[in-house]
Amino acid sequence: AQSVSQHNHHVILSEAASLELGCNYSYGGTVNLFWYVQYPGQHLQLLLKYFSGDPLVKGIKGFEAEFIKSKFSFNLRKPSVQWSDTAEYFCAVNARDQGGKLIFGQGTELSVKP
Amino acid sequence: GAGVSQSPSNKVTEKGKDVELRCDPISGHTALYWYRQRLGQGLEFLIYFQGNSAPDKSGLPSDRFSAERTGESVSTLTIQRTQQEDSAVYLCASSFKTGVTDTQYFGPGTRLTVL
């Protein structure tokens, strides 16, 4: 069965610090990979996605993620966080041979101190 | 255009009662998904629809859970004889189709509390 693991449950950073959130998945087949974000009081929204091609993908608000197939990882990065990045971040995987369902990690709560 | 909408936004019920949760997908989206998020956990897949058929019901936790969809429109998730462990936020998402490149757009969720 597929699973997704996010290593950090709660991360606290000061503004301008660099961010890296870990995400590992277990599945031997071809996958699509996603990061979703939920800002306080808002809907879950897509931050970035990887389907194929360049393993380094760029998303909204300066976020990027790198797919490393050999490590089954899809870590999220941002060089300099802002207070407005305070949110919960979810990594998700879709196995291409299993329809469109997403398997989510447990989420990482990011708190950015002004 | 309008996003995915869900109703009610909050539902408090007593153990043993039945509840119905509604999802209105984005117009034109043929695929619709239901997920559940328990407190402190990630989202769990429940079921998805392509049109009004459900190719994958593998995430439904028990036979107390059922869902239906009318055409390529509204979907209803029904939980019969609710239990306290059913308390969670139930999220609906829709996408243009179930192709591998389709982004799922999420609704605001229904927070269900079973007393």
Side-chain angles (χ1 to χ4, degrees):
Chain A
Q2 305 158 55
S3 66
V4 178
S5 175
Q6 292 183 239
H7 315 300
N8 314 101
H9 294 297
H10 191 188
V11 173
I12 303 172
L13 295 173
S14 297
E15 277 195 315
S18 64
L19 170 72
E20 181 161 3
L21 301 182
C23 173
N24 285 86
Y25 67 93
S26 64
Y27 185 70
T30 304
V31 295
N32 300 315
L33 298 156
F34 305 81
W35 277 96
Y36 279 84
V37 61
Q38 188 166 27
Y39 297 102
Q42 296 188 25
H43 303 187
L44 202 62
Q45 58 184 283
L46 183 69
L47 199 54
L48 49 78
K49 60 188 178 184
Y50 171 81
F51 292 141
S52 64
D54 188 345
L56 182 63
V57 292
K58 296 189 183 299
I60 59 172
K61 303 187 181 184
F63 286 90
E64 65 179 31
E66 185 175 15
F67 172 44
I68 304 179
K69 189 174 181 179
S70 61
K71 295 185 178 180
F72 298 89
S73 71
F74 190 55
N75 292 355
L76 181 70
R77 300 193 293 250
K78 185 171 184 179
S80 175
V81 295
Q82 300 174 316
W83 176 78
S84 58
D85 293 325
T86 295
E88 189 152 20
Y89 292 81
F90 294 93
C91 181
V93 170
N94 159 247
R96 292 194 191 178
D97 59 355
Q98 296 190 17
K101 73 179 181 185
L102 296 174
I103 305 300
F104 282 84
Q106 288 192 321
T108 297
E109 185 179 348
L110 173 65
S111 300
V112 180
K113 298 179 181 177
Chain B
V4 177
S5 61
Q6 294 186 245
S7 60
S9 55
N10 279 284
K11 176 72 176 178
V12 180
T13 190
E14 294 179 348
K15 179 181 171 180
K17 301 282 189 184
D18 297 352
V19 295
E20 281 191 355
L21 311 180
R22 176 186 168 111
C23 172
D24 283 87
I26 293 171
S27 178
H29 280 192
T30 62
L32 185 148
Y33 304 81
W34 284 99
Y35 296 87
R36 175 172 76 173
Q37 185 177 22
R38 292 178 174 173
L39 188 64
Q41 299 185 22
L43 282 74
E44 304 170 68
F45 168 79
L46 298 178
I47 185 172
Y48 90 86
F49 291 89
Q50 177 59 48
N52 61 6
S53 67
D56 189 346
K57 306 178 183 179
S58 62
L60 294 178
S62 74
D63 59 7
R64 295 187 295 105
F65 287 71
S66 63
E68 62 180 25
R69 187 178 185 196
T70 307
E72 294 184 350
S73 183
V74 172
S75 175
T76 303
L77 177 69
T78 301
I79 309 173
Q80 295 178 310
R81 305 182 302 282
T82 52
Q83 303 294 313
Q84 288 182 334
E85 62 262 28
D86 299 333
S87 295
V89 177
Y90 289 82
L91 289 159
C92 176
S94 71
S95 66
F96 184 60
K97 58 188 190 305
T98 55
V100 296
T101 59
D102 289 322
T103 298
Q104 294 180 30
Y105 296 87
F106 283 81
T110 293
R111 182 176 298 277
L112 175 66
T113 303
V114 182
L115 302 177

